[in-house]
Amino acid sequence: MSGLHLKDLTATYGASQALFGVDLDIAEGEVVALMGRNGMGKTTTVKAICRMIPSGGTLTFAEADLHALPSHRVARLGIGLVPEGRRCFRDLTVEENLVAAARPGDWTRDRVTAMFPRLGERLTQRAASLSGGEQQMLAIGRALMTNPRLLILDEATEGLAPIVRQEIWSAIRSLKDKTRLSILLIDKSIRELASVSDRAVILERGRTVWSGAMADLGTDISERYVGV
Ligand code: ATP
């Protein structure tokens, strides 16, 4: 299977176990929402995929066993992460941030700035002086510059003004419509998640408790596990 495949994934923080059996599959070109209340293991799942914490069970991407790889090799395999908290190099300019992330492929500085024109207007500005929304666009741009096959967005719209959130959602929609990128989304806006995702996977206490087509996610399930 060419995409991402997690089966019975477990993960620990030191002596404390946080994941107890996460099942999650993303095929090429698919958009999957990872859902669940606070503290249920969404970010921990992302950290395990990116090999930032010890994990067990099945974890494969593009048929490679991620458990056999150190974290820097995960990015090279084609997994681009936009972590919680919009990380970029604050002392570098927008352009330097983008160029530093670049790997060969279709995504170039010009393609990123066509998607986020605000970044194009601020290429020589230091990242630290950008607004929160612009920093988030830069974090997404940096991940795209690595030319990933799977893009993971962990709370990419968190804390942003509604108008900026809309810009990020429309960028995600255009990635879905115009590329073959697989996307894993974590976000608090259930409405936006539902409108862009093909499938949903719901976690409760570190376990997958529901997965299926977004269209089949009824209000009974969302009330029970997501709280809406
Ligand atoms: P949120 O929406 O609040 O970010 P989440 O679903 O992403 O929630 P996680 O951050 O993955 O949840 O947390 C899952 C569990 O792991 C929680 O019980 C949390 O307390 C625990 N946990 C998270 N980070 C650490 C850490 N660095 N050390 C120890 N335990 C942690």
Side-chain angles (χ1 to χ4, degrees), residues 129-206:
S129 67
L130 298 175
S131 72
E134 290 156 2
Q135 286 184 19
Q136 187 59 275
M137 291 172 197
L138 182 56
I140 297 171
R142 280 177 50 78
L144 291 172
M145 289 293 284
T146 68
N147 277 286
R149 285 181 282 175
L150 167 67
L151 180 67
I152 303 178
L153 296 168
D154 189 354
E155 305 268 14
T157 66
E158 176 85 1
L160 302 179
I163 187 156
V164 184
R165 257 189 257 156
Q166 282 317 313
E167 277 181 65
I168 308 262
W169 283 114
S170 60
I172 295 168
R173 244 172 239 116
S174 101
L175 290 173
K176 175 187 164 96
D177 294 343
K178 297 184 186 147
T179 74
R180 293 294 298 157
L181 199 55
S182 308
I183 305 178
L184 179 63
L185 289 174
I186 299 174
D187 203 276
K188 295 210 164 55
S189 171
I190 309 305
R191 197 166 51 92
E192 298 288 1
L193 277 182
S195 79
V196 75
S197 306
D198 301 304
R199 287 192 306 108
V201 172
I202 302 181
L203 302 185
E204 180 156 89
R205 298 203 184 101

Side-chain angles (χ1 to χ4, degrees), residues 13 16 18-19 36-45 47 84 154-155 186 188 203:
Y13 291 104
S16 131
L19 300 183
R37 291 193 174 87
N38 288 347
M40 292 303 173
K42 303 178 296 294
T43 296
T44 303
T45 300
K47 287 184 181 162
E84 254 183 320
D154 189 354
E155 305 268 14
I186 299 174
K188 295 210 164 55
L203 302 185

Side-chain angles (χ1 to χ4, degrees), residues 45-110:
T45 300
V46 169
K47 287 184 181 162
I49 294 168
C50 296
R51 302 287 294 120
M52 292 150 72
I53 54 168
S55 55
T58 303
L59 175 57
T60 64
F61 178 67
E63 280 163 31
D65 176 11
L66 295 183
H67 278 140
L69 300 178
S71 62
H72 67 273
R73 292 280 304 283
V74 170
R76 249 192 272 163
L77 260 188
I79 298 183
L81 170 64
V82 180
E84 254 183 320
R86 46 190 99 117
R87 298 230 189 99
C88 34
F89 295 112
R90 295 173 59 78
D91 291 330
L92 298 186
T93 64
V94 168
E95 169 138 48
E96 288 164 345
N97 262 285
L98 292 175
V99 170
R103 291 183 58 244
D106 293 344
W107 282 97
T108 59
R109 187 202 74 178
D110 290 350

